[in-house]
Structures are given as C-alpha cells and as structure tokens.
Amino acid sequence: MDWGNVTAEDLVDALREVEWSAPPRPLSEFFSRFTFPRSYAKWNSRLKCNLYYYRTNYFIMIIFILGLGFLRRPLALVAACLTALSIAFLNDSFAGTFSEKVTRTVRQFSPHLAAKMRPALTPVIRGRPSAKRAIYICGRPRWVFVLIFSTVSFFLWFVSCGLLMVLWALAIGLLATILHASFRTPNLKARLNTFREEFRAVWRNYSEL
C-alpha cells in the first residue's frame, strides 16, 4: 500500500472499519527504531502507516495519559469513559461486537427482549443490498447511542469542571502520538500487515456482491 496516495478521509474510513480487538504491539517493537524523515512525502507516508499499524498502542497511551489527569476528579473519569465509548461506537467493528455481547447477555435473562434487540434486515434487490449496510446497536440505530452517551458525558464534564484539564491531557496525548508516528521508522512487519488488511478489505467487498 502506497501511504503517500492515501488521503486523510481514506485513513479515517479505514480506522472506522478495521478490527480494534487486536492486542497492542509489543513495547520492544513500539520503541524500537526512530529516525528523522528525509522529506515531507516520507513523513506523510510514515505518519499514516504508523497511525494505522499502532492504532491500539496510541489509543491505550492516550487513555493512560487521560487517566493520570483524572486521579483527583473521579466524576471526570466517568465522563471521559462515556466520551471514549461514544467515539468507539463510530467504529463499525466495535459497534457490532458491543451489540452482539450485550444481546447475548440479555438473552440469558430475557430471550423475548433479546429478540427485539436484533437489527432490522437490509432489503436486497437482485441479490445485492439496496443500500450500504446500516449499523445498529441493540436494535437501535448507532447515532441514538452516540447522541445519548455524548449528551451524558457533556453534562458530567460541566458538573465536574474538568473540561480544561482533559483538554490539556488530550493535547499531550495527541502530541505524543504524532511525535511517535512521525519518528518511528515503519518496519517490514508493518508494511506486510497493511497489505494483509488491504487484501481483507478487498475480499470483503467481493463477498458482499
């Protein structure tokens, strides 16, 4: 995959559809080799490749930095968790896995309620879906959960007065992410992984036809 030709929109779409259940990369690999990019094109390609390959490491690092800032404000920590969950719902894989696990848990206590939590069927025309498959969480459109969790987290941010603190912590986390992604030299394993993910995406598109 030529990351120099990948736009920011393509990268965001890939991060939305990719599997986030994979474990983080080992620390020995995460802090292995750092070099200065020789040109803007090299830096641009390296940044996108590392953001995609080390996505789980960056997510954990940002959560850890935010957690350090919330030690004195437990209510702000709850608000941060709800905010992170509402953002995580934007990822198709996470939303589907979350809905499946919740439905499976509810089925153990109330099969009738679990049946109502199944997503609506997508109409099919001539063997193909009539539109892009919509994402449902517990039988409701995804945007409903994103709106509810975002509203509750915003209220908790206002009550805890920790919004300024989280902005500083988030800025530090994002700065650390950009610095690491800019200077971490992509290894052969990262490039092979991106080729494999690209093949899976193409194969998934063919299987949906």
Side-chain angles (χ1 to χ4, degrees):
M1 179 185 295
D2 186 5
W3 286 97
N5 297 328
V6 176
T7 63
E9 183 179 357
D10 295 334
L11 179 61
V12 172
D13 291 339
L15 292 176
R16 284 184 56 188
E17 298 178 0
V18 76
E19 294 286 344
W20 283 79
S21 58
R25 309 298 175 183
L27 293 180
S28 58
E29 177 185 348
F30 190 64
F31 296 104
S32 177
R33 182 185 178 188
F34 296 90
T35 57
F36 192 84
R38 292 175 292 179
S39 62
Y40 172 78
K42 292 288 186 181
W43 171 80
N44 187 29
S45 177
R46 175 186 299 185
L47 181 67
K48 296 172 184 176
C49 180
N50 286 332
L51 287 177
Y52 184 84
Y53 183 69
Y54 294 110
R55 56 187 179 272
T56 307
N57 297 73
Y58 294 143
F59 181 77
I60 294 177
M61 182 174 64
I62 293 176
I63 293 299
F64 178 75
I65 295 176
L66 290 175
L68 293 178
F70 294 141
L71 293 178
R72 296 183 178 181
R73 296 180 183 271
L75 192 59
L77 180 60
V78 178
C81 292
L82 293 178
T83 302
L85 193 59
S86 62
I87 296 176
F89 281 150
L90 298 178
N91 178 259
D92 298 348
S93 176
F94 180 86
T97 303
F98 178 86
S99 177
E100 180 182 355
K101 290 184 177 180
V102 172
T103 305
R104 188 181 305 169
T105 303
V106 173
R107 188 182 296 116
Q108 297 177 357
F109 304 95
S110 177
H112 181 71
L113 179 60
K116 294 182 178 180
M117 297 170 61
R118 295 177 180 175
L121 297 177
T122 302
V124 177
I125 300 178
R126 295 181 179 179
R128 297 184 179 182
S130 60
K132 186 177 180 180
R133 184 175 62 90
I135 304 299
Y136 288 84
I137 301 177
C138 300
R140 297 292 182 270
R142 172 169 53 184
W143 66 266
V144 175
F145 283 83
V146 174
L147 179 62
I148 293 176
F149 279 81
S150 301
T151 303
V152 175
S153 62
F154 179 79
F155 175 76
L156 292 179
W157 283 127
F158 180 79
V159 173
S160 62
C161 301
L163 185 58
L164 182 60
M165 176 188 61
V166 73
L167 290 179
W168 275 105
L170 185 60
I172 295 175
L174 293 178
L175 179 61
T177 299
I178 294 176
L179 288 176
H180 181 276
S182 299
F183 294 100
R184 175 65 174 91
T185 305
N187 52 20
L188 180 60
K189 185 178 179 181
R191 299 182 185 277
L192 292 177
N193 181 268
T194 56
F195 280 121
R196 182 175 57 188
E197 294 290 348
E198 184 182 32
F199 174 78
R200 289 178 178 176
V202 174
W203 180 260
R204 183 168 58 250
N205 292 335
Y206 274 112
S207 62
E208 292 177 355
L209 296 179

